[in-house]
Amino acid sequence: MSGPADFPLPIEPERYEFRAAPVHHFDLRRRDFFKFLGAGMLVVSIWKEAPAAQEGVLTGPPFAGPPLPKEISAWLHIGEQGVATVYTGKVEIGQNIRTSLSQAVAEELHYPLDQIRLVMGDTLLTPYDMGTFGSRTTPTMNLQLRRVSAAARGILLQMAAARWNADAAHLSATAGRITDPATRRSISYAELVEGQQITQTIPAEDPLLSASQWTVEGQPIPKVDGRDFVTGKHRYPSDQSLPGMLHGKILRPPSFGATLISAEDLPADMASHVTFVRDGDFVGVAAESEQLASQAIASIHAAWKEQPQPSSAELFAYLKNNPVELKGFEGASRYEIGAVDRDMASADHRLTQTYTVSYIAHAPLEPRAALAQWTGDSLTVWTGTQRPFAVRTELAQAFHIPDGNVRVLMPDMGSGYGGKHTGECAVEAARLARAAGRPVKLVWTREEEFTWAYFRPAGLIEVSAGVRTGGAIAAWSFANYNSGGAGIRTSYDIPSQRIVFQPTRYPLRQGSYRALAATANHFARESFMDELAHAAKMDPLAFRLQNLKDARLRAVFQAAADKFGWGATPAPGHGFGIGGGFEKGGNVASCAEVAVDAATGAVRVVRVTTAFECGAVVNPDGLRNQIEGAILMGLGGALFEAIHFENGRILNPRFSQYRVSRFSDVPAIETVILDRRDLPSAGAGETPLVGLAPAIGNAIFQTTGIRLRSLPMVPSGIPKT
Amino acid sequence: MANITRLRVNGTLHAVSADPETSLLAILRDFLGLTGTKYGCGEGQCGACTVLLNGRPRRSCLTPLGSVASQEVITIEGLERHGRLHPVQEAFLTEGALQCGYCTSGMILAGVALLQSNANPSEQEIAQAMEGNICRCGTYPRIMAAIQHAARQTKESRR
Ligand code: FES
Ligand code: FES
């Protein structure tokens, strides 16, 4: 922890994202690499500089013998067949990093994109990685791969120079070939590495092409293996299969917190061909078909002891009244500058409001799925997760075996949005497979995914501010209960601030969700800014800019407003709103136009303009795709998504009862991308979400005069006043 | 309980020995190994399991095997002709109309069916026809663009 008053890192991972300790079990030796990679050249990138010094770096001789350093982030192998294979623990979940990372390699290695393969998220083959979340892939892994690739190119140039007795500085590397312009000699990378077993490790600071010289990065490269997806050939986690595989099914408790009293064995006619497992509160079956497994589960008579549980009707009072004191990363955080009470008291206008945010579900279209196979005491699991290494540890602990006995593979999955950080389904499948003595696949039903996964935390946020005549904000107080600390700090220049995140007891299992609490905190902050602007009788954009020095954030506000036509008068029944902020290295501003049906109160978002700046843009089309997707996902949470629960039961665990954005909700979307090639690239899958809900709420206020302070805002139209 | 049901999938005749109540989705995925058709909800609400049944879009999760005996099923695996993608598949690539791609096969088949009944659909008509297909990644605008793109391509190639 650092910063004033105990505030965590500048780019703040959420407290529940840090649970698993990074355990390294990495003891592959150099010769093992070439056994499974084949001859060629291997370049290894390491996080820390210290081990690099010991192992010998670019200029030293290739090291031999000892195990590779543990701080490896990625490695790159160039084989005799001319394929460059990159190994990274990051995973592809629809954010298209398989493409953007390939671009990074192509750029720096000077290699054709179609000769680059990425092996991702396989705990046997790829280096340890904490997980794919927090928009960290682009700022970290992209950079690492660029460095590895640049180093590899340097080594290849040296090798060619040695072979030709030439000066490497006079050779050029293009599209996988090294050429000597003086003699017109040329040789491919593949030929250079033929029959070799070269290993190099590189430290973290090698020369990189600056973004202004990019030719492959910065381009709208289409999804690298897109054809497999439009032909149905790609195999997602739920599509995996093995010979002799059985299908699993789990008996779920009737409510959260229920414990098993008794469960009868299967009826005799089933027992002969269905595997039945009862282990503590775990009851499950494995059978030849999913249908048979479901029938078997339905035939089990079980008795449960239920515990009273909170319900959504009392949710916000529950959060407010149940603060908990936790230590360290999961605990409360508090940031305080100036003299809040004094400046609040002396301000000309004071305002206090409370905002709330419901529990919502990630609802990835592919539910959790796992295929587990035991060989003796070793376990292999194919599963959909954003954290394959954490799931490996979860499995190792569940079965009391070393991490090294577990291999987790993560085929590119049907997304996660922060909702697949855990390995429940993998553990369940593995438990059944062990009992059955055969591979078992388990695919959660939609209802299970809606019930037994985890949710985006609900929250209660209290905000107060004091404003001076003329529009300067003098004092700011902001307290978030339960939903989280991401994006809680304000970018506005306010001399006195008190910002608190207070953890509380919470009624549902909760965890990460795309953009984390930044969505809740921006909703409260940017709605409240709008309220203050109206109280000060100022234009909401002008009020923001008056209180904002940060040039990058000002630039996106201005860009969104210009493109949107801020300041024009909306059509009757229509309203305009704006909202934005800074999060995870990116600056975003959204303008929304809504139309409210006077008779029914139905709200339609007609138009959204989002301006986004995340440093140097790696793939503009991929970025646009992410921004549009964030807008459409954010729209659901803003307008109608909410999980309802009562006494330990989810009341709406189906798509027929839980409304997500659909085609008819799609507004006209304009994106403005501010490409700052002078700045490092930041991740972009999350932040574009955060300005939308307040922009919509502010637009609704503009046309109706009704201020909506709870997400979702209009689950069933504008409330009748 | 096991009956033999005959059906034609992507032009190949299959005789499937299974309970006629088994969903067509499970038959395709688990019996025939055609995993391009996806499970998303099992209640007809998401469209991930869409196939073409005699040319019409159909939710395979709600379709019992017994009800499709002797009929013609086309899945995402059956759209390619002689190594050439269907114009709608091609357009999804051109427009980058996918992120995770899990909704994609259902979207493509729904789009193919729509273009058969309406060669030139407006955005509104697409939205109406495909309201039952969820893309949780939110690539709807690109899907609409892809279907319109395919419509233009098809018209041009007919000229
Ligand atoms: S799985 Fe059939 S409609 Fe969702
Ligand atoms: S691309 Fe992920 S659900 Fe549509």
Side-chain angles (χ1 to χ4, degrees):
Chain A
M1 304 263 170
S2 65
D6 206 23
F7 227 86
L9 318 162
I11 292 174
E12 191 192 359
E14 194 52 272
R15 62 205 154 108
Y16 26 71
E17 288 191 330
F18 259 12
R19 291 246 163 92
V23 186
H24 298 280
H25 279 278
F26 198 85
D27 38 25
L28 273 178
R29 284 171 185 271
R30 182 175 166 271
R31 60 178 172 279
D32 297 331
F33 272 104
F34 292 107
K35 214 158 59 193
F36 72 73
L37 298 175
M41 183 177 87
L42 175 72
V43 181
V44 171
S45 157
I46 51 183
W47 287 117
K48 291 188 185 144
E49 286 163 3
Q54 299 158 17
E55 306 284 2
V57 294
L58 208 57
T59 49
F63 79 91
L68 289 162
K70 291 182 189 296
E71 290 77 7
I72 290 175
S73 65
W75 62 73
L76 165 70
H77 175 256
I78 299 174
E80 297 174 311
Q81 309 305 321
V83 173
T85 311
V86 179
Y87 295 81
T88 163
K90 294 288 178 206
V91 294
E92 172 62 56
I93 58 176
Q95 79 288 43
N96 283 333
I97 59 170
R98 191 179 283 283
T99 303
S100 60
L101 294 177
S102 299
Q103 283 178 267
V105 174
E107 182 73 61
E108 299 287 346
L109 189 58
H110 296 188
Y111 214 61
L113 203 54
D114 60 5
Q115 291 295 304
I116 296 168
R117 304 274 175 279
L118 256 71
V119 174
M120 306 177 80
D122 174 338
T123 62
L124 181 67
L125 298 185
T126 69
Y128 174 84
D129 187 88
M130 195 160 48
T132 304
F133 56 77
S135 290
R136 301 303 297 150
T137 300
T138 296
T140 60
M141 188 52 63
N142 190 282
L143 218 55
Q144 294 286 325
L145 292 187
R146 285 178 60 197
R147 290 199 164 109
V148 163
S149 308
R153 173 168 43 94
I155 298 164
L156 290 160
L157 282 164
Q158 299 279 359
M159 287 168 71
R163 184 182 283 227
W164 293 333
N165 215 350
D167 181 351
H170 295 143
L171 306 181
S172 71
T174 319
R177 294 191 76 81
I178 298 196
T179 313
D180 182 349
T183 62
R184 300 241 179 101
R185 276 179 301 202
S186 135
I187 185 167
S188 71
Y189 294 0
E191 291 169 273
L192 267 176
V193 302
E194 204 177 307
Q196 309 269 353
Q197 292 198 358
I198 307 158
T199 317
Q200 287 278 11
T201 57
I202 58 146
E205 79 274 351
D206 287 289
L208 289 175
L209 287 179
S210 87
S212 59
Q213 293 161 273
W214 283 354
T215 58
V216 188
E217 291 202 272
Q219 297 301 311
I221 304 291
K223 196 173 175 83
V224 281
D225 46 358
R227 197 184 166 104
D228 288 351
F229 288 81
V230 300
T231 53
K233 217 171 111 201
H234 172 68
R235 295 211 161 216
Y236 291 84
S238 55
D239 301 333
Q240 303 295 318
S241 69
L242 283 171
M245 177 184 90
L246 300 175
H247 296 261
K249 211 84 192 163
I250 309 296
L251 182 70
R252 300 292 173 191
S255 60
F256 299 128
T259 47
L260 187 67
I261 301 170
S262 65
E264 288 166 21
D265 287 346
L266 290 179
D269 61 324
M270 278 200 180
S272 59
H273 54 291
V274 176
T275 303
F276 175 71
V277 182
R278 188 175 46 210
D279 186 346
D281 283 344
F282 179 90
V283 181
V285 301
E288 291 289 344
S289 73
E290 213 182 318
Q291 195 188 26
L292 191 55
S294 300
Q295 286 164 356
I297 284 292
S299 75
I300 298 171
H301 293 281
W304 300 87
K305 184 173 186 310
E306 297 192 52
Q307 311 280 347
Q309 300 278 331
S311 299
S312 33
E314 71 219 23
L315 173 61
F316 300 114
Y318 182 91
L319 297 179
K320 181 75 202 275
N321 297 330
N322 285 284
V324 291
E325 294 315 318
L326 295 170
K327 292 257 176 300
F329 192 64
E330 298 188 0
S333 60
R334 191 182 173 89
Y335 171 81
E336 187 149 6
I337 54 169
V340 175
D341 298 330
R342 182 199 67 199
D343 288 351
M344 197 75 82
S346 67
D348 300 302
H349 311 278
R350 273 174 298 281
L351 198 62
T352 296
Q353 292 297 357
T354 300
Y355 297 83
T356 61
V357 175
S358 288
Y359 276 108
I360 65 173
H362 308 79
L365 203 55
E366 181 184 40
R368 280 165 167 69
L371 167 61
Q373 180 182 37
W374 287 89
T375 317
D377 246 0
S378 293
L379 172 63
T380 304
V381 179
W382 290 257
T383 191
T385 174
Q386 292 172 249
R387 307 181 65 208
F389 287 88
V391 170
R392 179 180 69 171
T393 301
E394 214 176 313
L395 287 162
Q397 286 172 355
F399 297 100
H400 311 286
I401 53 178
D403 275 23
N405 282 22
V406 183
R407 178 182 185 184
V408 173
L409 297 99
M410 162 52 199
D412 298 6
M413 71 174 168
S415 209
Y417 321 109
K420 289 183 182 163
H421 287 188
T422 45
E424 312 81 355
C425 183
V427 172
E428 291 166 353
R431 182 67 190 85
L432 294 172
R434 200 164 68 163
R438 283 164 69 174
V440 171
K441 176 158 87 172
L442 176 65
V443 181
W444 279 19
T445 63
R446 176 55 53 195
E447 205 165 328
E448 287 176 306
E449 182 67 34
F450 262 121
T451 308
W452 300 100
Y454 54 86
F455 303 98
R456 186 180 78 180
L460 175 94
I461 299 173
E462 295 170 335
V463 205
S464 306
V467 181
R468 297 198 201 292
T469 301
I473 307 172
W476 178 263
S477 158
F478 192 99
N480 175 315
Y481 295 84
N482 185 59
S483 100
I488 198 171
R489 291 272 290 274
T490 174
S491 295
Y492 298 106
D493 295 282
I494 305 170
S496 291
Q497 305 180 17
R498 181 187 301 129
I499 298 173
V500 178
F501 164 63
Q502 177 61 55
T504 70
R505 286 177 60 195
Y506 47 85
L508 297 184
R509 193 171 174 228
Q510 59 184 36
S512 297
Y513 183 106
R514 192 177 194 179
L516 304 175
T519 300
N521 287 322
H522 278 82
F523 170 64
R525 181 166 55 245
E526 287 291 286
S527 299
F528 193 67
M529 285 297 286
D530 206 67
E531 300 203 43
L532 291 176
H534 283 98
K537 300 205 165 31
M538 288 181 69
D539 170 76
L541 174 63
F543 177 72
R544 283 174 172 79
L545 294 178
Q546 179 180 339
N547 286 285
L548 181 63
K549 287 203 197 79
D550 185 272
R552 290 173 67 186
L553 185 50
R554 287 178 68 96
V556 292
F557 269 124
Q558 204 64 66
D562 289 349
K563 183 83 176 183
F564 181 79
W566 184 261
T569 310
H574 288 226
F576 292 169
I578 192 166
F582 171 80
E583 172 65 4
K584 294 195 166 84
N587 286 280
V588 68
S590 292
C591 294
E593 174 175 350
V594 302
V596 179
D597 185 314
T600 63
V603 173
R604 199 182 138 58
V605 179
V606 179
R607 189 160 70 96
V608 172
T609 304
T610 290
F612 187 52
E613 182 261 290
C614 56
V617 174
V618 178
N619 185 329
D621 189 59
L623 176 57
R624 242 183 211 110
N625 203 344
Q626 285 299 316
I627 298 173
E628 292 164 7
I631 290 170
L632 282 157
M633 194 168 199
L635 199 74
L639 296 180
F640 29 70
E641 284 182 43
I643 283 290
H644 302 293
F645 57 98
E646 195 175 285
N647 201 17
R649 288 169 173 79
I650 301 297
L651 301 179
N652 55 338
R654 296 162 173 269
F655 279 131
S656 53
Q657 300 160 326
Y658 182 97
R659 169 135 148 63
V660 299
S661 301
R662 289 178 181 267
F663 273 101
S664 64
D665 299 308
V666 176
I669 295 175
E670 289 177 308
T671 53
V672 187
I673 294 174
L674 305 182
D675 188 1
R676 289 286 302 267
R677 292 211 165 183
D678 55 322
L679 294 173
S681 309
E686 307 187 73
T687 302
L689 203 94
V690 304
L692 184 73
I696 293 173
N698 296 340
I700 292 173
F701 177 80
Q702 198 203 40
T703 177
T704 62
I706 297 171
R707 178 62 66 182
L708 299 172
R709 298 189 183 90
S710 298
L711 292 186
M713 289 184 277
V714 287
S716 40
I718 295 279
K720 297 264 179 293
T721 40
Chain B
M1 89 182 178
N3 294 24
I4 304 279
T5 307
R6 278 168 222 288
L7 73 167
R8 193 177 285 276
V9 181
N10 301 330
T12 307
L13 196 61
H14 292 274
V16 185
S17 163
D19 178 351
E21 287 304 308
T22 312
S23 73
L24 177 58
L25 176 62
I27 297 296
L28 292 171
R29 291 177 54 81
D30 298 337
F31 287 70
L32 304 181
L34 295 171
T35 52
T37 309
K38 305 299 182 200
Y39 167 85
C41 69
E43 56 160 350
Q45 286 286 329
C46 77
C49 66
T50 306
V51 298
L52 299 182
L53 184 66
N54 305 323
R56 307 286 310 145
R58 185 62 170 258
R59 302 285 185 251
S60 64
C61 70
L62 294 183
T63 305
L65 171 65
S67 72
V68 299
S70 321
Q71 302 192 42
E72 173 88 44
V73 178
I74 302 284
T75 71
I76 189 71
E77 291 92 344
L79 279 186
E80 220 174 314
R81 286 271 176 277
H82 315 297
R84 293 221 2 229
L85 296 182
H86 187 282
V88 177
Q89 289 174 305
E90 201 65 74
F92 268 64
L93 290 179
T94 316
E95 297 291 336
L98 65 157
Q99 287 183 18
C100 77
Y102 195 78
C103 67
T104 304
S105 35
M107 291 288 183
I108 289 177
L109 288 163
V112 168
L114 170 63
L115 291 181
Q116 276 164 11
S117 59
N118 179 349
N120 199 9
S122 67
E123 285 198 357
Q124 223 164 12
E125 288 167 329
I126 296 172
Q128 212 162 36
M130 294 179 55
E131 187 70 353
N133 286 70
I134 292 175
C135 175
R136 189 61 171 149
C137 297
T139 64
Y140 299 118
R142 286 159 179 260
I143 295 171
M144 293 202 256
I147 290 170
Q148 293 189 323
H149 184 111
R152 284 194 304 273
Q153 291 304 114
T154 312
K155 202 160 40 173
E156 266 162 38
S157 68
R158 287 228 181 89
R159 269 194 204 139

